[in-house]
Each structure stands twice: as C-alpha cells, then as structure tokens.
C-alpha cells in the first residue's frame, strides 16, 4: 500500500501474453488509478488484441473504459509475433468473453482525458507500438503539459528481439516512438536489457502457483506456462516484458535508473533501433530515464501478491 495519492494512468496496450499480466498488475496495484485503457494492433491484429483486453478486464471485474485504436502504424503495417503470443495473442489460453469496448477511437479518448486533466497530473503508460499515444500528442501537442511522465516498454541498448537491431514495439512504429521522445515529458524506457532480468522460470511459476489466488492468477499461470522458453536465454525461461513497466509505477524502489539521451533510427537496416547515450556524449538534453537494474525476486513477489489478490 502507499501513503501517497495513486498515479492517474492512461494505459495503451496490445494483448499479448505479457500485456495481460501487465493489465492485471495495474488493476491490482493501489499505487495506480487506471482511468483509461486503449488498444492497438501489434502482438496480433486489433481484432484479437481488443477481444483479449476485454477478456482480461472482464475476468478481473474491472469497470475501466476500454477504447480501440490503431490497426496499423503511422507508416506501413504491424507484423504479428505469433511465435510468442500464438495466433490468438494469449498463447491459446481461452478466457471468457469480456464486456464490450467503449465506442470511439483511442486517440480521441486519450486527448479527451488529457484535456480534462490538470497540468502534470497524468501518466501515459505504453506497452504496445506507440501509435495511439503518438497520434494523440502529435495532433494536439499542447496537451503534453498534462503529462507528468511517459513510461514505455520499448527499445534495447544492445540486440533486438524482432531484428538484430530493434525491439518489437520500437520496430513496429519507430515514427511514433520518435514523436514521444520529442514530446517534452520525461520518457521512462523499459528496454529488453531490463526485462531480461525478469525471467519466468519453472521455479518462479511454481512459487506463484503456491500463492493460491483466484481466477486471474490461475489464468496468468496458464499464460506463463503456455509461452515457449526463449532461445535467447538458453531455453531457461522467457522474459516478462510489459509487467516491468507497470511495476515501475507501483514499486520504483525495485529499479535502478539513469538519465539518458534517447533517439530511434527511422531508416535503413537499423530501422527501429534505439540509440541511448548513457554517458553524456551527446550535446542534446537528456530526454529519457533508462531503467537499468531490477530486483527480480522483489518483482516476482510483487506480481504474485498483487495477482493473488484479484478475483
């Protein structure tokens, strides 16, 4: 629990296996007041990501407005990552049908929420390709002053997971990521280098199973067990990307951080690569906070305790 007021959060996602757990973690965290959820295509097509987001919210009994958004990036098209998320986005784990989405478009709903907010009072949390968030801020850039922080699961210091250069979310819409990096508010980057420290192993799944819990934790465990172990980690487990971004808002003490200059490559073979200057070599002002270290045991303890408290 927290003695301070919860953060008011607008969350953009593309469920996706790890997005599902991130949504449940956000709903279960008293440090977060989730005011709006928007959905893009990405991990799978928008038809699937919207259905999955509805199901995740419905299983938790959450009454949070959910609005569909972009089915393609600012340029080109999304490419589904079915190797991890399966054809349906939840690795074949079936959830009950959720309540209907709120009518409208994500960018419009985001702008409306920002217009109604006081300066510096909202947090934008993006765990999908950044299209919806970029559309909202690019079309009404003065609304950036309503934003205290933009938190993005995106990018990598080193090797990507979609190409050798680029992480998936950054690769799917690098122009949108560029918009957010230049929008003005501090951008917190949750990169592959950070999420690699949140490795889901059979031992950690067993500890989560020992917590008991209700239908949400049971569904989360089914999803974790259905995700194939990663070749990048010697098949020891799979990194749990998106919940790390939520955990930063709920328990920042689990992380170490550094102020950096960040930009994204928009063309060529390295399209989607994030260039992150950690050592002040660039004369540009520091526009991002890089999360570098994670207390992994503390992260999984937080995740388990919070999901076990859900229905």
């Amino acid at each position: 629990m927290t003695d301070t007021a919860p953060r008011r959060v607008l969350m953009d996602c593309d469920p996706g296996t790890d997005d599902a757990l991130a949504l449940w973690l956000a709903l279960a965290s008293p440090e977060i007041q989730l005011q709006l959820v928007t959905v893009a295509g990405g991990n799978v097509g928008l038809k699937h990501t919207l259905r999955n987001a509805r199901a995740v919210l419905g299983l938790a009994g959450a009454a949070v407005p959910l609005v569909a958004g972009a089915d393609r990036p600012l340029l080109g098209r999304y490419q589904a990552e079915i190797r991890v998320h399966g054809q349906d986005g939840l690795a074949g784990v079936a959830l009950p049908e959720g309540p209907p989405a709120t009518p409208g478009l994500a960018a419009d709903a985001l702008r409306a929420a920002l217009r109604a907010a006081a300066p510096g009072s909202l947090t934008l949390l993006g765990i999908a390709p950044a299209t919806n968030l970029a559309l909202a801020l690019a079309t009404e850039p003065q609304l950036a002053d309503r934003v205290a922080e933009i938190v993005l699961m995106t990018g990598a210091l080193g090797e990507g997971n979609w190409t050798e250069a680029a992480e998936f979310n950054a690769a799917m819409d690098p122009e949108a990521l560029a918009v957010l990096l230049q929008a003005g508010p501090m951008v917190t980057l949750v990169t592959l280098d950070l999420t690699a420290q949140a490795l889901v192993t059979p031992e950690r799944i067993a500890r989560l199973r020992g917590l008991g819990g209700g239908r949400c934790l049971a569904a989360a465990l089914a999803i974790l067990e259905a995700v194939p172990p990663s070749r990048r980690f010697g098949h020891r487990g799979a990194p749990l990307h998106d919940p790390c971004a939520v955990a930063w808002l709920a328990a920042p003490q689990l992380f170490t951080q550094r102020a950096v200059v960040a930009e994204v490559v928009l063309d060529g073979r390295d399209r989607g690569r994030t260039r992150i200057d950690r050592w002040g070599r660039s004369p540009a002002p520091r526009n991002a906070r890089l999360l570098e270290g994670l207390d992994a045991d503390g992260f999984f303890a937080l995740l388990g305790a919070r999901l076990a408290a859900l229905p």
Side-chain angles (χ1 to χ4, degrees), residues 36-225:
L36 173 69
V37 175
T38 57
V39 180
N43 285 321
V44 286
L46 181 62
K47 173 184 176 181
H48 295 298
T49 59
L50 181 61
R51 182 200 63 219
N52 294 343
R54 290 170 48 226
V56 167
L57 293 176
L59 201 67
V64 180
L66 171 69
V67 184
D71 66 353
R72 67 200 72 182
L74 299 180
L75 300 174
R77 62 185 180 88
Y78 298 134
Q79 300 177 59
E81 177 48 291
I82 61 173
R83 295 169 299 178
V84 173
H85 303 282
Q87 296 285 348
D88 64 352
L90 294 181
V93 175
L95 299 181
E97 184 83 6
T102 302
L105 292 173
D108 293 337
L110 288 163
R111 283 191 297 266
L114 289 165
R115 288 189 206 108
S121 63
L122 291 179
T123 295
L124 300 183
L125 172 59
I127 56 174
T131 317
N132 288 331
L133 299 177
L135 284 168
L137 291 182
T139 50
E140 204 165 338
Q142 66 272 23
L143 293 176
D145 77 346
R146 286 6 185 235
V147 179
E149 181 183 6
I150 301 172
V151 181
L152 301 176
M153 193 281 116
T154 193
L157 280 167
E159 186 180 18
N161 64 349
W162 183 249
T163 69
E164 70 274 19
E167 177 272 334
F168 177 83
N169 285 340
M172 288 302 103
D173 200 338
E175 284 78 17
L177 177 56
V179 168
L180 296 183
L181 288 171
Q182 298 167 18
M186 177 63 70
V187 177
T188 297
L189 296 174
V190 183
T191 68
L192 294 181
D193 314 271
L194 186 285
T195 64
Q197 300 169 54
L199 197 65
V200 178
T201 62
E203 295 76 18
R204 282 179 167 147
I205 290 177
R207 283 197 288 273
L208 291 172
R209 190 171 298 284
L211 297 173
R215 59 182 182 261
C216 290
L217 180 58
L221 286 165
I223 289 169
L224 291 176
E225 290 177 325

Side-chain angles (χ1 to χ4, degrees), residues 264-288:
V264 59
V265 178
L266 299 180
D267 54 18
R269 183 179 176 86
D270 282 357
R271 176 174 166 81
R273 177 189 289 277
T274 45
R275 290 179 177 151
I276 300 173
D277 173 18
R278 295 190 295 160
W279 303 108
R281 298 183 180 97
S282 169
R286 296 181 180 185
N287 62 334

